[in-house]
Amino acid sequence: MKTLDLVLPDTRYPIHIGQKLLGNIELITPHLKHPRVAIVTNTTVAALYLEPLLTALEQAGIDCLPVILPDGEDFKTWATLNQIFDALLGAHCERSTTLIALGGGVIGDMTGFAAACYQRGVPFIQIPTTLLAQVDSSVGGKTAINHPHGKNMIGAFYQPKAVIADMDLLDTLPERELSAGLAEVIKYGLLGDADFICWLENNMAALRKRNKQALAYAVEHACKMKGAIVAQDEKEQGVRALLNLGHTFGHAIEAGLGFGTWLHGEAVGAGMMLAAEASHQLGWLDKAQVERVEALLKQANLPTQSPALGIARWLELMSHDKKVENGEIRFVLLKDLGHAIVAKLPAAILEQTLNSRFVLHTQ
Amino acid sequence: MKTLDLVLPDTRYPIHIGQKLLGNIELITPHLKHPRVAIVTNTTVAALYLEPLLTALEQAGIDCLPVILPDGEDFKTWATLNQIFDALLGAHCERSTTLIALGGGVIGDMTGFAAACYQRGVPFIQIPTTLLAQVDSSVGGKTAINHPHGKNMIGAFYQPKAVIADMDLLDTLPERELSAGLAEVIKYGLLGDADFICWLENNMAALRKRNKQALAYAVEHACKMKGAIVAQDEKEQGVRALLNLGHTFGHAIEAGLGFGTWLHGEAVGAGMMLAAEASHQLGWLDKAQVERVEALLKQANLPTQSPALGIARWLELMSHDKKVENGEIRFVLLKDLGHAIVAKLPAAILEQTLNSRFVLHTQ
């Protein structure tokens, strides 16, 4: 097991990465104010991993309340969040009760937001069960639910007490979810580390075969990069926005098709392709670099073509982006492979991008 | 105008107290990141004060989005909160848009919570229009909505950029609302300032006649006391709990009768009476002191008898209190007049209190 230490102005917490961590409750107990937890998970993950976690905690004398939610991005709503509150209040959970998020990004984001709001804040711990959650969403304290008008529109910055990333939990991850997670891994290379792009090109096959060492290295590297950025800019006033590479386009895809149609990581993959294309149109990336991004996404079995939404709908959807300033959408673009910046896109270039071969077009 | 400066670990903000402040937009403009605001208010307050505020802001070139909610504690719900989000998203409000809460405690708490959550946090300003909001709820950053199981169960600690308490807005306040505000004023005397109790006994008539100097003094004194407590303990890990004097009983009254039946301040008044009675049962207050509390509440035209809920229902309702620890309810009680502490109550004394003459009993 490796442990990273994320140090922020008001708090710090460990990110444990390794194998056989789920049953190791010594990673959990030091963070409990009181021997009571609510484990928030979904039907899919509960069937696989709830029992071992429950057993380990209960054997240590910790009172556990399981809260099992429906599975999927389309349930990342107030109604589902309220199921958590109903369960906590129904069981008289107090301010000293710790919430444990056992699941992927949706469970992590909702549990974190529930923890931020329940009685104005209770502690929580992340046990991410998808690659996407392990490399990205479980770290850094962004929590949220979706609104019909936009992804993650209602939420809070609220940090967990610990993150426990167990590679063994990835054994059962569906192929499509694995690829979605790889999109966020690739993101770290593209936005800030050209050497890591090479490493990914060389190790993508091992990652897709779920080689545990390769996975742990990718998770560790991504978490280190994310931790360094979040430590500089916890509330996204500046550099943290770079972590949104591919997300302005990606969120529009998710909302435009209806949440849950594409996985978040798939939308981010296609979104990064568009960001690369726009960067090419701006003269920042050459054609070969765009093709290298395309090849890497294909290696990860990710879509490189966005769905046909129509220019007007793209613009409407992206107008709700959290990076919009004075009515102008700001994009994370690539000055070079491994070097992202935030910039506005001239309308003509945005249109060219949305008319490029990286967007499917209906007749 | 007097200005208090509330200094917290991560932020500081002014509390302006005086007359003719509503049209003085120089108190607002320095806090705007961008010349755009959403003014959240309710139907009652909008009819009285929205126009002058809108006019002043628009004359200064500030783009204003009014968001008018229904009036009353029974609307302090997720559904109403979502009306704010719908309006903000519908008008493409960005992270740089400032929310202005123009209203009483319900509007202030909901607008603050909306500001805490919208795109993970936007700035907000409090313009409290009730005495209760001016002396208590607009200061200190507690924001929340109610849950059917309990008052303010879902919320955040989230500080405003400024509080503007204009005594002129109290001219139109209904008598019952004025008395409700006086309950929170009395609270400050009882919990920490015996001299202020004397001042209130001597000046209650002037306050009820809405003498502006008396009102401004009461608001200033309460805000100073609250500021000093919040500066020590922003997230209610300790001393801040004292501000909950009367609230454990009071919240049970509000939830037990259905939110909006009694005003919050009325419930707090009756709740403080019970806290005084319990403190008497514990031998901390003598009979004359209890009668002095009763007389002061009566001077303010507040109820001194709680409604009949039945012991079992009282206990169930109070079991959801945010101060519950290890299943035990903790109360704010009076060691003396002007000296509150947090303590548990022996079951027999709690029962005696709920069977005292300060609770109405059905046949």
Side-chain angles (χ1 to χ4, degrees):
Chain A
M1 181 180 83
K2 284 212 178 176
T3 299
L4 307 176
D5 189 24
L6 183 49
V7 182
L8 296 170
D10 292 333
T11 185
R12 66 190 298 162
Y13 55 91
I15 302 163
H16 304 292
I17 301 162
Q19 293 178 246
K20 298 196 179 31
L21 304 187
L22 187 65
N24 183 356
I25 60 148
E26 282 167 30
L27 304 177
I28 294 177
T29 46
H31 303 289
L32 305 185
K33 278 190 194 176
H34 184 74
R36 186 170 202 205
V37 301
I39 304 171
V40 183
T41 188
N42 66 34
T43 46
T44 310
V45 175
L48 295 164
Y49 300 115
L50 179 58
E51 211 49 49
L53 180 61
L54 261 182
T55 307
L57 287 164
E58 284 175 349
Q59 276 173 359
I62 296 161
D63 180 27
C64 299
L65 172 73
V67 182
I68 302 173
L69 305 177
D71 183 11
E73 184 80 36
D74 43 335
F75 293 103
K76 194 176 168 182
T77 59
W78 170 259
T80 314
L81 187 74
N82 218 26
Q83 288 184 34
I84 305 178
F85 296 137
D86 289 344
L88 295 175
L89 282 161
H92 291 87
C93 289
E94 303 169 5
R95 273 190 177 165
S96 57
T97 303
T98 297
L99 307 195
I100 296 180
L102 178 69
V106 171
I107 287 294
D109 281 11
M110 282 206 295
T111 306
F113 189 39
C117 298
Y118 184 65
Q119 301 204 0
R120 298 198 187 94
V122 296
F124 86 111
I125 290 171
Q126 291 271 18
I127 306 184
T129 61
T130 65
L131 181 61
L132 186 136
Q134 291 183 348
V135 296
D136 194 67
S137 62
S138 70
V139 169
K142 276 197 181 177
T143 74
I145 54 171
N146 297 330
H147 183 283
H149 280 329
K151 172 101 177 172
N152 294 338
M153 278 293 152
I154 317 298
F157 290 99
Y158 194 73
Q159 302 292 341
K161 296 293 174 194
V163 180
I164 301 167
D166 186 342
M167 297 307 111
D168 293 339
L169 308 191
L170 302 181
D171 287 341
T172 51
L173 196 65
E175 283 294 321
R176 204 181 144 193
E177 294 270 2
L178 184 74
S179 291
L182 289 170
E184 296 278 9
V185 176
I186 292 169
K187 180 186 82 175
Y188 286 96
L190 294 179
L191 75 87
D193 189 342
D195 290 344
F196 189 51
I197 300 176
C198 295
W199 185 89
L200 286 169
E201 287 167 333
N202 294 332
N203 291 277
M204 191 57 81
L207 291 168
R208 291 196 55 202
K209 277 190 217 138
R210 307 182 196 216
N211 174 295
K212 297 283 165 80
Q213 282 67 43
L215 286 168
Y217 178 80
V219 172
E220 186 192 335
H221 194 80
C223 288
K224 268 186 190 161
M225 285 185 69
K226 181 153 192 183
I229 290 172
V230 172
Q232 279 177 68
D233 176 26
E234 184 178 355
K235 302 278 172 74
E236 196 168 311
Q237 305 296 304
V239 66
R240 185 166 183 168
L242 299 182
L243 296 174
N244 265 316
L245 177 63
H247 284 61
T248 304
F249 294 113
H251 287 168
I253 295 171
E254 289 186 79
L257 296 181
F259 292 115
T261 310
W262 277 34
L263 294 175
H264 173 65
E266 292 169 336
V268 168
M272 289 193 294
M273 199 65 249
L274 290 175
E277 173 62 19
S279 305
H280 169 58
Q281 304 276 357
L282 286 165
W284 296 348
L285 295 189
D286 63 27
K287 200 156 167 278
Q289 287 176 307
V290 174
E291 285 167 1
R292 201 171 151 205
V293 173
E294 187 180 5
L296 186 56
L297 292 170
K298 284 185 173 163
Q299 261 191 288
N301 204 27
L302 283 162
T304 54
Q305 286 191 303
S306 292
L309 300 174
I311 299 268
R313 182 80 176 125
W314 274 106
L315 294 178
E316 163 61 17
L317 288 162
M318 292 193 296
S319 72
H320 289 294
D321 191 81
K322 291 189 283 294
K323 289 184 298 303
V324 169
E325 231 179 49
N326 303 343
E328 287 188 290
I329 312 169
R330 296 181 311 145
F331 293 85
V332 184
L333 300 170
L334 296 170
K335 268 297 213 190
D336 197 350
L337 293 187
H339 179 198
I341 62 162
V342 175
K344 285 160 193 160
L345 264 185
I349 288 198
L350 179 54
E351 216 167 302
Q352 249 176 297
T353 303
L354 293 174
N355 282 322
S356 74
R357 70 182 176 93
F358 298 116
V359 178
L360 284 168
H361 298 285
T362 47
Q363 286 308 326
Chain B
M1 180 180 84
K2 284 212 178 175
T3 299
L4 308 176
D5 190 23
L6 182 50
V7 182
L8 297 169
D10 292 334
T11 185
R12 65 190 297 161
Y13 55 91
I15 302 163
H16 304 294
I17 300 163
Q19 293 178 245
K20 298 198 178 36
L21 304 187
L22 186 66
N24 183 356
I25 61 146
E26 282 167 29
L27 303 178
I28 294 176
T29 47
H31 303 288
L32 305 185
K33 278 191 195 173
H34 183 74
R36 185 168 204 206
V37 301
I39 304 170
V40 182
T41 187
N42 66 34
T43 47
T44 310
V45 176
L48 297 164
Y49 300 115
L50 179 58
E51 211 50 47
L53 180 62
L54 259 183
T55 307
L57 287 165
E58 283 175 349
Q59 275 173 1
I62 295 162
D63 179 26
C64 297
L65 172 74
V67 181
I68 302 174
L69 305 177
D71 183 10
E73 183 81 36
D74 43 334
F75 293 102
K76 194 175 170 181
T77 59
W78 170 260
T80 315
L81 186 74
N82 217 26
Q83 288 184 35
I84 306 178
F85 296 137
D86 288 343
L88 296 175
L89 282 162
H92 291 87
C93 290
E94 303 168 6
R95 272 190 176 163
S96 57
T97 302
T98 297
L99 307 196
I100 296 179
L102 177 70
V106 172
I107 287 293
D109 281 10
M110 281 206 294
T111 307
F113 189 41
C117 299
Y118 184 64
Q119 300 203 2
R120 297 197 188 94
V122 297
F124 86 112
I125 290 171
Q126 290 272 18
I127 306 184
T129 61
T130 65
L131 180 61
L132 185 137
Q134 291 183 348
V135 297
D136 195 67
S137 62
S138 70
V139 170
K142 275 196 181 178
T143 73
I145 53 172
N146 297 331
H147 183 281
H149 281 326
K151 171 102 176 170
N152 294 339
M153 277 293 152
I154 315 296
F157 290 100
Y158 194 74
Q159 302 293 341
K161 296 293 174 194
V163 180
I164 302 167
D166 185 343
M167 296 306 113
D168 293 339
L169 308 191
L170 303 182
D171 287 340
T172 51
L173 195 65
E175 282 296 322
R176 204 182 145 194
E177 295 268 3
L178 184 73
S179 291
L182 290 169
E184 296 278 10
V185 176
I186 291 168
K187 180 186 81 175
Y188 285 96
L190 295 180
L191 76 87
D193 189 342
D195 291 344
F196 189 52
I197 300 175
C198 296
W199 185 88
L200 286 169
E201 288 168 332
N202 294 333
N203 290 276
M204 192 57 82
L207 290 169
R208 290 196 55 200
K209 279 192 215 134
R210 305 179 199 221
N211 174 295
K212 297 283 165 81
Q213 282 69 42
L215 286 168
Y217 178 78
V219 172
E220 186 191 335
H221 194 80
C223 287
K224 270 187 189 159
M225 286 185 69
K226 180 152 191 181
I229 289 171
V230 172
Q232 279 176 69
D233 176 25
E234 183 179 358
K235 302 278 173 75
E236 196 167 311
Q237 305 295 305
V239 65
R240 186 167 184 168
L242 299 182
L243 297 173
N244 266 316
L245 177 62
H247 284 61
T248 303
F249 293 114
H251 287 168
I253 295 171
E254 291 186 79
L257 296 180
F259 292 115
T261 310
W262 277 34
L263 294 175
H264 174 64
E266 293 170 336
V268 167
M272 290 192 296
M273 198 65 249
L274 291 175
E277 173 61 20
S279 305
H280 170 57
Q281 304 276 357
L282 286 166
W284 296 348
L285 296 188
D286 63 26
K287 201 158 167 272
Q289 287 176 308
V290 174
E291 286 167 2
R292 201 172 152 204
V293 173
E294 187 179 7
L296 187 56
L297 292 171
K298 283 184 174 165
Q299 263 191 286
N301 203 28
L302 283 163
T304 54
Q305 286 191 302
S306 292
L309 300 175
I311 299 267
R313 181 83 176 121
W314 274 107
L315 294 178
E316 162 61 17
L317 288 162
M318 293 194 295
S319 72
H320 289 294
D321 191 81
K322 291 189 285 295
K323 288 184 298 303
V324 169
E325 233 179 46
N326 302 344
E328 286 188 291
I329 312 171
R330 296 181 310 146
F331 293 85
V332 185
L333 299 169
L334 296 170
K335 267 299 214 188
D336 197 352
L337 293 187
H339 180 198
I341 60 161
V342 175
K344 284 159 195 164
L345 265 186
I349 290 200
L350 178 54
E351 218 168 300
Q352 249 176 296
T353 303
L354 294 174
N355 282 323
S356 74
R357 68 182 177 94
F358 298 117
V359 177
L360 283 168
H361 297 284
T362 46
Q363 286 308 324

